[in-house]
Amino acid sequence: MAERKQYDVIIVGAGPAGLAAGLYAGRMELKAVALERLAPGGELLNTLDIEDYPGFEHITGQELSEKMEAHARKFGLSIDYHEVEEVWSEGDERVVRVEDGTEYRAPAVIVTAGGQPRKLGVPGEAEMAGRGVSYCAICDGAFFKEQVVMVVGGGDSALEEGVFLTRYASKVIIVHRRQDFRAQAVAVAAARANPKVEFMLDSVVDEIKGDESGKVVAVTVRNLKTEAVTEVAVGAVFPFIGFTPNSNIFRDHVEHDELGYIYTDTGMATNIEGIFAAGDVRHQLTKQITTAVGDGTTAVVAVTKLLEKLGHGRAQDVAEEAELAAEVQV
């Protein structure tokens, strides 16, 4: 018989969205647990410098994740380290099974499992992640003012982010393995019309090179037709070859788009009652720390309203106390 643990809400993932959800769950006196397979912080741990989170002109990803974790724990969030294998519904309960067979049960689950940028898989990429290799132009573009940067990919993200980077870079080189782009024609036209954008087509990145301090200084590019190899001096590399949301954990059919991003309403609720999604795993316009934190906050407020409706736990007590106080005042 699998061990069972009961909570008011289960949070799958402890990145910014999950930690914000845990903080607000604690403030609302809900018994909450976050399930995390690695370490709290999510993609923050792959980010060296952050300058676009309100209140911090500069902070490292590691520092911000530690502050978020400590704040959530202060209000009672528990963090258990497990790989989540499956999420499903059993009547009014939502069940989360982890790799050792333990079942976590609650009326509500908030999935904040995020996702992962697809990697090039070339030498130097992992070693210099956060030190010139970045998967977020909005986050890191400003660090490379008046430098040559390289974008890898041929979809909408690659072309659009490439044009965005021209705000800062002296030149943006877009490397794509084909002549034709997968991106929409308008995105391709905008990139071609920008005087700061250059193209290396029919080409792939073979290696990312760094200096003694471990920062990116050059990229080796190989032409697939001629096999000619060129070393290009750059200050940064931005791979935009796709992002895979961690949304393949549901037994029930949770509605999602063609890429796997989960559809939610304005309260972060999915099509299945009691299952919510927040942060990078859900279908939205942008992937930023600020939006993830907002999603996590909204999800917990919506969960609290659901628990009140179900007459469950401390959320119901709080609602009843508020009603009683109103009656006393009258």
Side-chain angles (χ1 to χ4, degrees):
M1 184 70 178
E3 181 183 2
R4 295 185 175 186
K5 296 184 177 182
Q6 198 73 37
Y7 291 88
D8 294 326
V9 60
I10 301 162
I11 302 164
V12 179
L19 292 173
L23 165 64
Y24 273 83
R27 288 179 63 86
M28 294 182 179
E29 300 190 10
L30 303 181
K31 185 181 180 183
V33 63
L35 303 177
E36 172 58 51
R37 65 187 180 92
L38 295 174
E43 285 299 309
L44 286 180
L45 301 178
N46 296 322
T47 306
L48 183 61
D49 296 302
I50 296 169
E51 294 184 343
D52 57 1
Y53 192 76
F56 295 96
E57 292 185 9
H58 176 270
I59 190 170
T60 69
Q62 179 72 39
E63 289 170 339
L64 185 56
S65 66
E66 289 173 356
K67 288 180 179 293
M68 286 184 171
E69 178 189 357
H71 201 175
R73 286 188 184 276
K74 176 182 177 181
F75 284 96
L77 176 67
S78 297
I79 301 176
D80 288 0
Y81 295 94
H82 287 292
E83 178 88 35
V84 171
E85 292 192 340
E86 194 172 22
V87 178
W88 71 91
S89 300
E90 281 187 11
D92 290 335
E93 283 199 320
R94 308 296 165 256
V95 186
V96 180
R97 188 184 69 234
V98 299
E99 86 289 334
D100 68 358
T102 301
E103 292 182 357
Y104 290 76
R105 291 172 172 262
V109 171
I110 304 173
V111 175
T112 65
Q116 299 180 0
R118 293 177 189 165
K119 307 299 194 295
L120 299 171
V122 300
E125 180 181 22
E127 294 85 347
M128 282 169 279
R131 305 183 67 83
V133 175
S134 171
Y135 305 91
C136 180
I138 295 175
C139 308
D140 298 330
F143 292 119
F144 305 101
K145 291 180 179 179
E146 298 306 316
Q147 296 185 46
V148 177
V149 303
M150 182 173 288
V151 169
V152 185
D156 286 334
S157 293
L159 276 294
E160 291 170 2
E161 302 291 354
V163 170
F164 174 83
L165 286 167
T166 62
R167 301 183 184 195
Y168 310 107
S170 60
K171 181 167 66 176
V172 176
I173 301 170
I174 298 179
V175 176
H176 181 44
R177 62 170 49 249
R178 301 179 182 85
Q179 279 286 328
D180 299 324
F181 293 95
R182 300 187 311 277
Q184 298 178 66
V186 63
V188 177
R192 291 193 182 280
N194 193 304
K196 284 189 174 183
V197 175
E198 295 185 6
F199 297 91
M200 296 183 74
L201 304 180
D202 296 320
S203 299
V204 295
V205 170
D206 275 351
E207 184 179 1
I208 301 172
K209 297 183 177 182
D211 60 15
E212 293 180 356
S213 67
K215 293 184 179 180
V216 171
V217 294
V219 176
T220 300
V221 179
R222 176 169 50 88
N223 187 288
L224 294 173
K225 291 185 175 180
T226 66
E227 292 299 318
V229 175
T230 306
E231 184 170 297
V232 184
V234 299
V237 182
F238 292 83
F240 292 112
I241 57 174
F243 187 91
T244 304
N246 297 321
S247 59
N248 59 346
I249 56 175
F250 298 105
R251 178 182 297 182
D252 309 308
H253 177 67
V254 174
E255 292 181 355
H256 55 79
D257 66 16
E258 66 277 7
L259 298 177
Y261 293 101
I262 300 168
Y263 286 121
T264 68
D265 64 14
T266 55
M268 306 299 131
T270 70
N271 60 299
I272 298 178
E273 186 176 66
I275 295 181
F276 300 77
D280 289 356
V281 75
R282 79 178 189 92
H283 180 87
Q284 58 181 314
L285 179 61
T286 186
K287 301 178 184 68
Q288 294 289 293
I289 306 168
T290 48
T291 53
V293 167
D295 283 0
T297 303
T298 300
V300 171
V301 173
V303 165
T304 304
K305 292 183 180 299
L306 174 64
L307 298 184
E308 290 171 3
K309 185 179 78 170
L310 296 175
H312 179 88
R314 176 61 181 160
Q316 178 67 14
D317 295 339
V318 171
E320 291 176 350
E321 289 169 7
E323 290 175 5
L324 180 60
E327 291 175 2
V328 170
Q329 289 177 355
V330 173

